[in-house]
Each structure stands twice: as structure tokens, then as C-alpha cells.
Amino acid sequence: MKNILVLMAHPKLEHSTVISGLTASINGLENVQITDLYERYPDFNIDVQHEQEMLFGADIVVWLHPLYWYTGPPLLQQWIDLVLEYNWAYGHKGTYLKGKYLFNAISTGGSPEAYSATGHHGYPLKEFLLPYKQTAKLCNMKYLPPFQIAGTHNITREQLNHEINKFKALILHLRDSPNLSDLENLPFLNDFKQ
């Protein structure tokens, strides 16, 4: 079994049915560690050594967050800025994350159609996630396609439950499968088939 580290960042989790639902669905699973960054670091004073130790023990890292103004919440960026240090995560001596998998699991208020070349936002969602993909590349990690729950302002309870169940099945597959190459070419990890 692989070890999965889920770094959840939502500044108003009490108002979120999507991110809190995704988190609850995998809470307590064996070899899955969840860190609520806003609960752990309400003052943004990140314990870099602790976070690096958690990363060192992980095979797969998940950044679980809403998309705000085309990026993640500010504490997630603070975490990236401080924890992924030169000569630890990247650079000539930065080999501690090499070969680990990383992906974003996100919620968006906009629909999938809104995140397209002809949609409201003018670009596909993956283009907004390029900084995360490039961060993974710089750290010699393998970046997987994102898992997205879109149109959260209008999603039905049935649709949300379906996506939450897909997310849990995905996490179990990531944890238990010896080979993850089947996921690398999917448009979204939502397209994962058991």
C-alpha cells in the first residue's frame, strides 16, 4: 500500500459541502493522512520541518482545495513557498520528492463549459493549474491530471454524492494499485474507471 498525504486548504470549510464531503469520504482510511492546513496553521506560521517530514513519508500528495480567483487559497501558496525549499524539494541536492505523485483535487463554482476556450473564463481549467504542474516537475514529481467537482453552486446532492464516491474509489486505487500509469493520460481523474 502506498502512503497518501492529503493537504486540504479551505479558509471557510464550515461553508463547504464539496471539500468537506471529499475530506470526510476518505477520513480514517488506512495509509491516508489528512492535514487541514487552515486548522493547523491559522496564523500562517507553517512548521516547515514537520511538513517536510510528512512529505518524506508520502508516496502520493493531494492538494485538496477550492479554486479561488484562478488559484488555490493563500495558505496553500504559503505552504508551497515555505515547505518546498531549494536543495530539499528542488535544486542540485533537492531529491526528497523525486518520483512521488502529486495532483490537485479541486472544486470550482463554474461549470466545465465555463472553463474552456469559448467559455466564460476563456481557458481550459488545466491552464489555470499549470503553476502546480510546473511545481511538480521542478521537484521531480509525477503530476497526475486533476480531480474536479465543477459547478458547485448548482450541483445536486445526488451529483455531489456520485463525485464524492468516485473520489474515494480513486484514493483507494491510488493507495492499492502497484502501477498508476493508467491514470497519467486521463483528461481528469474523474474519468478513472475501476
Side-chain angles (χ1 to χ4, degrees):
M1 269 195 284
K2 290 186 259 344
N3 293 314
I4 300 177
L5 176 62
V6 179
L7 298 164
M8 189 266 291
H10 197 305
K12 294 185 177 183
L13 187 61
E14 65 277 8
H15 299 294
S16 169
T17 55
V18 177
I19 299 297
S20 62
L22 291 171
T23 304
S25 75
I26 60 170
N27 190 30
L29 292 178
E30 188 177 359
N31 287 46
V32 177
Q33 173 72 41
I34 302 170
T35 300
D36 180 340
L37 292 176
Y38 276 90
E39 181 179 294
R40 184 164 175 83
Y41 303 114
D43 58 358
F44 280 54
N45 188 16
I46 294 172
D47 182 344
V48 171
Q49 182 177 349
H50 171 79
E51 296 300 318
Q52 288 177 345
E53 287 171 5
M54 296 296 290
L55 282 171
F56 186 72
D59 301 300
I60 300 167
V61 179
V62 182
W63 285 331
L64 175 59
H65 60 92
L67 199 65
Y68 284 162
W69 288 103
Y70 309 113
T71 190
L75 184 53
L76 179 59
Q77 186 60 49
Q78 175 86 342
W79 186 95
I80 292 168
D81 291 344
L82 297 179
V83 175
L84 303 182
E85 291 179 317
Y86 178 73
N87 278 338
W88 188 85
Y90 68 100
H92 297 298
K93 298 178 186 174
T95 60
Y96 289 100
L97 300 177
K98 186 175 184 177
K100 296 177 187 285
Y101 286 90
L102 172 68
F103 72 95
N104 297 83
I106 60 172
S107 63
T108 61
S111 68
E113 297 77 29
Y115 286 94
S116 68
T118 58
H120 178 74
H121 300 293
Y123 298 93
L125 177 70
K126 286 186 177 183
E127 292 197 30
F128 294 107
L129 299 177
L130 283 175
Y132 298 110
K133 183 177 182 178
Q134 187 61 29
T135 297
K137 183 178 178 182
L138 184 66
C139 296
N140 292 302
M141 300 176 82
K142 298 174 185 177
Y143 188 75
L144 292 172
F147 183 93
Q148 176 197 22
I149 297 184
T152 59
H153 300 303
N154 299 313
I155 196 166
T156 67
R157 174 52 68 181
E158 183 180 353
Q159 291 168 323
L160 178 57
N161 287 339
H162 178 71
E163 293 302 321
I164 287 172
N165 289 334
K166 283 202 309 194
F167 181 69
K168 182 178 180 180
L170 171 67
I171 292 295
L172 291 171
H173 177 75
L174 289 166
R175 183 193 71 182
D176 298 337
S177 177
N179 184 1
L180 301 180
S181 61
D182 59 323
L183 302 176
E184 293 178 17
N185 294 319
L186 293 174
F188 288 91
L189 289 178
N190 305 64
D191 300 321
F192 156 74
K193 305 284 188 216
Q194 284 180 283

